[in-house]
Short mmCIF file of all heavy atoms in Angstrom, two decimals:
data_model
loop_
_atom_site.label_atom_id
_atom_site.label_comp_id
_atom_site.label_asym_id
_atom_site.label_seq_id
_atom_site.Cartn_x
_atom_site.Cartn_y
_atom_site.Cartn_z
N ASN A 272 -48.48 12.69 -3.98
CA ASN A 272 -47.68 13.18 -2.86
C ASN A 272 -46.30 12.62 -2.91
O ASN A 272 -45.30 13.34 -2.78
CB ASN A 272 -48.39 12.83 -1.55
CG ASN A 272 -47.56 13.05 -0.31
OD1 ASN A 272 -46.79 13.98 -0.20
ND2 ASN A 272 -47.72 12.15 0.68
N THR A 273 -46.17 11.31 -3.10
CA THR A 273 -44.86 10.66 -3.12
C THR A 273 -44.12 10.90 -4.44
O THR A 273 -42.91 10.61 -4.54
CB THR A 273 -44.96 9.16 -2.85
OG1 THR A 273 -45.78 8.52 -3.82
CG2 THR A 273 -45.51 8.89 -1.46
N ILE A 274 -44.79 11.43 -5.48
CA ILE A 274 -44.14 11.85 -6.71
C ILE A 274 -43.58 13.26 -6.56
O ILE A 274 -42.45 13.52 -7.02
CB ILE A 274 -45.10 11.76 -7.92
CG1 ILE A 274 -45.42 10.30 -8.25
CG2 ILE A 274 -44.55 12.49 -9.12
CD1 ILE A 274 -46.51 10.13 -9.32
N ILE A 275 -44.34 14.12 -5.95
CA ILE A 275 -43.93 15.56 -5.91
C ILE A 275 -42.76 15.71 -4.98
O ILE A 275 -41.90 16.58 -5.26
CB ILE A 275 -45.10 16.43 -5.49
CG1 ILE A 275 -44.80 17.94 -5.76
CG2 ILE A 275 -45.48 16.32 -4.05
CD1 ILE A 275 -44.68 18.32 -7.18
N ALA A 276 -42.59 14.93 -3.92
CA ALA A 276 -41.48 15.09 -2.99
C ALA A 276 -40.14 14.91 -3.69
O ALA A 276 -39.24 15.78 -3.53
CB ALA A 276 -41.60 14.13 -1.81
N PRO A 277 -39.92 13.83 -4.48
CA PRO A 277 -38.63 13.76 -5.18
C PRO A 277 -38.41 14.88 -6.21
O PRO A 277 -37.30 15.28 -6.43
CB PRO A 277 -38.71 12.38 -5.91
CG PRO A 277 -39.74 11.63 -5.14
CD PRO A 277 -40.70 12.64 -4.63
N ILE A 278 -39.51 15.37 -6.80
CA ILE A 278 -39.35 16.52 -7.72
C ILE A 278 -38.89 17.75 -6.97
O ILE A 278 -37.96 18.46 -7.41
CB ILE A 278 -40.68 16.78 -8.46
CG1 ILE A 278 -41.01 15.61 -9.40
CG2 ILE A 278 -40.65 18.13 -9.23
CD1 ILE A 278 -42.37 15.62 -10.02
N ILE A 279 -39.50 17.98 -5.79
CA ILE A 279 -39.07 19.13 -4.96
C ILE A 279 -37.61 18.93 -4.55
O ILE A 279 -36.83 19.86 -4.59
CB ILE A 279 -40.00 19.29 -3.74
CG1 ILE A 279 -41.38 19.72 -4.16
CG2 ILE A 279 -39.41 20.29 -2.76
CD1 ILE A 279 -42.44 19.61 -3.04
N MET A 280 -37.28 17.73 -4.13
CA MET A 280 -35.93 17.43 -3.68
C MET A 280 -34.93 17.62 -4.82
O MET A 280 -33.85 18.19 -4.61
CB MET A 280 -35.86 16.00 -3.14
CG MET A 280 -34.48 15.64 -2.56
SD MET A 280 -34.16 16.59 -1.08
CE MET A 280 -32.49 16.14 -0.72
N TYR A 281 -35.27 17.18 -5.99
CA TYR A 281 -34.39 17.33 -7.13
C TYR A 281 -34.13 18.82 -7.42
O TYR A 281 -33.01 19.25 -7.64
CB TYR A 281 -34.95 16.66 -8.38
CG TYR A 281 -34.05 16.72 -9.59
CD1 TYR A 281 -32.94 15.87 -9.66
CD2 TYR A 281 -34.26 17.63 -10.61
CE1 TYR A 281 -32.09 15.93 -10.71
CE2 TYR A 281 -33.38 17.71 -11.69
CZ TYR A 281 -32.32 16.84 -11.77
OH TYR A 281 -31.46 16.91 -12.83
N CYS A 282 -35.20 19.62 -7.39
CA CYS A 282 -35.06 21.08 -7.60
C CYS A 282 -34.22 21.71 -6.50
O CYS A 282 -33.38 22.56 -6.79
CB CYS A 282 -36.43 21.73 -7.66
SG CYS A 282 -37.40 21.25 -9.10
N TYR A 283 -34.44 21.26 -5.27
CA TYR A 283 -33.65 21.73 -4.14
C TYR A 283 -32.18 21.42 -4.38
O TYR A 283 -31.31 22.28 -4.11
CB TYR A 283 -34.14 21.09 -2.83
CG TYR A 283 -33.38 21.46 -1.60
CD1 TYR A 283 -33.65 22.63 -0.92
CD2 TYR A 283 -32.41 20.61 -1.15
CE1 TYR A 283 -32.96 22.97 0.24
CE2 TYR A 283 -31.67 20.94 0.00
CZ TYR A 283 -31.95 22.12 0.68
OH TYR A 283 -31.25 22.42 1.81
N LEU A 284 -31.86 20.21 -4.81
CA LEU A 284 -30.47 19.84 -5.04
C LEU A 284 -29.85 20.67 -6.15
O LEU A 284 -28.64 20.93 -6.15
CB LEU A 284 -30.38 18.35 -5.33
CG LEU A 284 -30.75 17.41 -4.20
CD1 LEU A 284 -30.81 15.96 -4.70
CD2 LEU A 284 -29.70 17.53 -3.07
N LEU A 285 -30.64 21.06 -7.14
CA LEU A 285 -30.11 21.93 -8.19
C LEU A 285 -29.73 23.31 -7.69
O LEU A 285 -28.83 23.92 -8.18
CB LEU A 285 -31.12 22.06 -9.33
CG LEU A 285 -31.40 20.80 -10.17
CD1 LEU A 285 -32.50 21.10 -11.18
CD2 LEU A 285 -30.14 20.37 -10.89
N VAL A 286 -30.47 23.78 -6.68
CA VAL A 286 -30.29 25.13 -6.14
C VAL A 286 -29.12 25.22 -5.17
O VAL A 286 -28.40 26.19 -5.16
CB VAL A 286 -31.58 25.66 -5.52
CG1 VAL A 286 -31.39 26.94 -4.78
CG2 VAL A 286 -32.67 25.77 -6.53
N ILE A 287 -28.95 24.20 -4.33
CA ILE A 287 -27.90 24.27 -3.29
C ILE A 287 -26.50 24.02 -3.87
O ILE A 287 -26.25 23.54 -4.88
CB ILE A 287 -28.10 23.31 -2.10
CG1 ILE A 287 -28.13 21.85 -2.55
CG2 ILE A 287 -29.42 23.69 -1.44
CD1 ILE A 287 -27.97 20.92 -1.36
#
Side-chain angles (χ1 to χ4, degrees):
N272 170 35
T273 59
I274 290 172
I275 195 68
I278 293 170
I279 293 170
M280 184 66 186
Y281 184 77
C282 292
Y283 177 84
L284 291 171
L285 290 176
V286 172
I287 62 164

